[in-house]
Amino acid sequence: MFQRLKALFGGTPKPASEQVPSADKIPQHIAVIMDGNGRWAKSRGLPRMAGHHSGMKTVKRITMAADRLGVKYLTLYAFSTENWKRPKAEVEFLMKLPQEFLAIELKELVDKNVQVRMMGYKGDLPDHTLQAIEEAIRQTANNTGLVLNFAINYGSRKEMIEAVRLIGEEVKAGRLLPEQIDESHMESSLLSAGMPNPDLLIRTSGELRISNFMLWQLAYSELWFTDVYWPEFTEEHFYEAVREYQRRVRRYGGV
């Protein structure tokens, strides 16, 4: 059964010799659950932190690949609201990665016309993490190319609860009637407001779950899963996911 599901959702990507996807039907928005850093490190006898550090290099690789294809939005699930449950040393290491990544890559992101955004809850983030992200957002605010959206301290259930509260405040204040509430009100109250919903979700490492990630936004997204761990996920794997997306027919409930 598991293998049949893998075949349905994408399976193991094809070899690197595959061609770059056609310029037609490129997904406008791709979301990625970057999974498997720890297991990749363990399989090589390395500490989990080494996997996270190696995964940071993959972020650069896939960002550039998305930019070359003409993808408009790339959302990367970097740290969930549940990840605070991990060992303190691992959380502290993860909180340093945005600062390290942006210190190295920000100039090239600026040069490539990439705009950095963040989707998540800032209140719990350490000052050094938040300052690095906000500086990247500031320096790239006027860029008009690929939007690189980091989901950090993000959880979809919390996001939807907060959205309902915002709508409830509008009703309480008399600015909105309950019967006027529709999908547009919900979407404008989410952390992803202003971005289109993902066309394609990619998850690495063999897990077949969405894991509290963009539950509202992924309602009609195409899903693609691979056994490959995030640190070893290459441009060729990314292209295979896009090619698979291009082969599918999106009916949105129609025929």
Side-chain angles (χ1 to χ4, degrees):
M1 177 65 178
F2 183 75
Q3 292 304 320
R4 289 201 299 274
L5 283 169
K6 286 298 184 62
L8 174 63
F9 289 125
T12 301
K14 297 179 181 178
S17 59
E18 293 277 0
Q19 64 180 358
V20 173
S22 164
D24 298 328
K25 201 182 171 185
I26 294 293
Q28 184 179 17
H29 185 176
I30 298 178
V32 184
I33 300 177
M34 307 179 291
D35 197 16
N37 289 342
R39 279 168 285 166
W40 176 88
K42 183 179 180 181
S43 70
R44 287 159 175 76
L46 300 170
R48 288 178 59 84
M49 279 70 156
H52 295 311
H53 197 272
S54 185
M56 184 179 73
K57 299 176 183 177
T58 305
V59 170
K60 163 74 176 298
R61 201 161 55 227
I62 299 310
T63 298
M64 294 300 104
D67 186 51
R68 287 193 296 272
L69 286 184
V71 175
K72 300 299 183 185
Y73 299 85
L74 179 66
T75 295
L76 302 179
Y77 202 8
F79 191 89
S80 76
T81 49
E82 291 75 31
N83 287 156
W84 295 107
K85 301 173 186 176
R86 294 186 177 189
K88 181 180 178 182
E90 183 173 350
V91 170
E92 289 177 348
F93 185 86
L94 288 168
M95 288 294 108
K96 291 176 182 176
L97 286 180
Q99 186 177 13
E100 181 177 348
F101 174 79
L102 293 167
I104 297 169
E105 307 297 349
L106 182 54
K107 183 180 184 305
E108 185 170 357
L109 293 175
V110 172
D111 293 342
K112 292 284 188 180
N113 198 31
V114 173
Q115 183 185 119
V116 176
R117 295 186 191 177
M118 175 191 157
M119 181 176 74
Y121 297 94
K122 298 179 179 181
D124 297 324
L125 296 178
D127 288 343
H128 62 84
T129 305
L130 187 57
Q131 287 169 7
I133 295 169
E134 289 185 335
E135 178 62 17
I137 292 171
R138 185 188 67 79
Q139 289 197 35
T140 63
N142 295 322
N143 288 356
T144 58
L146 171 70
V147 172
L148 176 58
N149 181 42
F150 289 105
I152 300 177
N153 195 27
Y154 171 85
S156 188
R157 287 185 173 183
K158 179 176 181 177
E159 175 189 35
M160 288 192 287
I161 289 170
E162 293 296 330
V164 171
R165 285 176 178 163
L166 286 173
I167 294 171
E169 289 297 326
E170 291 289 299
V171 173
K172 183 179 179 181
R175 294 188 292 268
L176 184 67
L177 295 175
E179 58 268 27
Q180 293 176 319
I181 299 171
D182 57 17
E183 289 189 10
S184 67
H185 288 99
M186 186 69 174
E187 293 192 346
S188 65
S189 301
L190 296 172
L191 296 174
S192 58
M195 293 192 299
N197 292 328
D199 300 296
L200 171 64
L201 170 73
I202 297 170
R203 180 166 188 161
T204 59
S205 87
E207 302 293 350
L208 302 175
R209 296 188 300 273
I210 297 177
S211 297
N212 198 22
F213 182 53
M214 301 186 85
L215 300 178
W216 174 279
Q217 299 90 333
L218 292 173
Y220 287 101
S221 303
E222 295 297 320
L223 310 180
W224 191 86
F225 300 95
T226 176
D227 290 325
V228 175
Y229 295 137
W230 178 248
E232 57 192 8
F233 190 76
T234 67
E235 295 94 331
E236 288 74 24
H237 298 128
F238 184 70
Y239 294 158
E240 171 57 20
V242 173
R243 284 193 298 272
E244 174 60 26
Y245 168 84
Q246 292 176 329
R247 288 190 286 268
R248 297 183 187 179
V249 178
R250 306 179 75 193
R251 297 186 177 88
Y252 300 97
V255 294

